[in-house]
Amino acid sequence: MNGPRFNEWIQSQKVRVIDHEGENLGVMYTREAIAQAQEVGLDLVEVSPNADPPVAKFLDVGKYKYEAQKKANLARKSQKTQEIKEIKMRPNIDDHDYDTKMKKVVEFIGEGDKVKVTMRFRGRELSHGQLGMNVLQRVAEQVNEVAKVEAYPRMEGRQMLMVLAPK
């Protein structure tokens, strides 16, 4: 059975009962509580099974399950997954190209995503690693207010990587 226990599936002998208007009726035997709930035309639903004694309410089980499912769907819909976006650059990047890429970096961080900045080296550029490092440091300084450096620049083969995360 999925969902909360109700009526005869409640396993404890005694439960703390709350009626349909929110009134605390106190601790009573589960059988008595089920009988009282059925008089009102509702079910006895265990809302807090870990309490001592467990707390049960007079509710309509179908409606209670529906509301719980709706609440869970809303929570799932409103959560945001964090993605890793990648920006690729070259060590001898021009100012305008750099500015355009930086606008995208700031936009991605504003959306709450992580940004992986990749510095690609080709041919003899590999022997001038400090040029790429300078560009990546410039990127880190420029986004200092909105992001923190999660992974500092490191070489991986022919490319240098740095990861930025929103603050």
Side-chain angles (χ1 to χ4, degrees):
M1 184 179 100
N2 59 347
R5 291 193 287 255
F6 62 95
N7 293 345
E8 52 275 352
W9 283 289
I10 297 176
Q11 291 161 346
S12 60
Q13 292 284 309
K14 291 184 174 184
V15 289
R16 180 174 304 279
V17 181
I18 296 168
D19 71 3
H20 56 284
E21 287 147 10
E23 287 287 315
N24 187 347
L25 302 181
V27 179
M28 59 174 69
Y29 286 103
T30 307
R31 289 190 305 277
E32 272 180 50
I34 292 171
Q36 282 188 17
Q38 286 172 344
E39 282 173 24
V40 189
L42 296 170
D43 302 297
L44 184 70
V45 181
E46 199 173 42
V47 289
S48 180
N50 300 330
D52 186 35
V55 178
K57 262 184 177 178
F58 292 175
L59 296 169
D60 180 357
V61 168
K63 188 175 178 185
Y64 180 73
K65 282 184 178 177
Y66 174 74
E67 295 288 333
Q69 187 179 12
K70 240 173 114 171
K71 201 189 298 183
N73 285 346
L74 188 67
R76 197 176 309 117
K77 188 164 61 169
S78 64
Q79 75 182 159
K80 167 108 171 67
T81 56
Q82 195 175 50
E83 294 177 32
I84 296 183
K85 306 283 187 165
E86 186 175 22
I87 296 287
K88 294 180 181 176
M89 293 184 180
R90 297 278 308 281
N92 54 355
I93 190 168
D94 199 46
D95 287 340
H96 185 266
D97 296 336
Y98 175 82
D99 293 339
T100 306
K101 300 237 184 213
M102 285 310 296
K103 279 184 192 159
K104 285 310 261 183
V105 168
V106 171
E107 181 185 319
F108 291 150
I109 288 173
E111 291 170 3
D113 295 324
K114 290 184 181 182
V115 179
K116 179 165 115 181
V117 184
T118 305
M119 181 65 58
R120 281 234 170 117
F121 295 98
R122 288 167 62 186
R124 278 187 233 135
E125 291 173 348
L126 205 54
S127 60
H128 299 288
Q130 77 278 4
L131 293 177
M133 185 60 98
N134 293 343
V135 174
L136 289 179
Q137 284 173 342
R138 187 172 150 201
V139 169
E141 287 168 17
Q142 203 165 337
V143 295
N144 195 14
E145 299 88 51
V146 290
K148 63 180 183 286
V149 178
E150 195 171 80
Y152 287 92
R154 68 182 188 280
M155 285 299 292
E156 275 187 17
R158 289 191 156 270
Q159 52 191 19
M160 193 180 281
L161 303 174
M162 175 173 75
V163 179
L164 302 169
K167 277 190 174 173

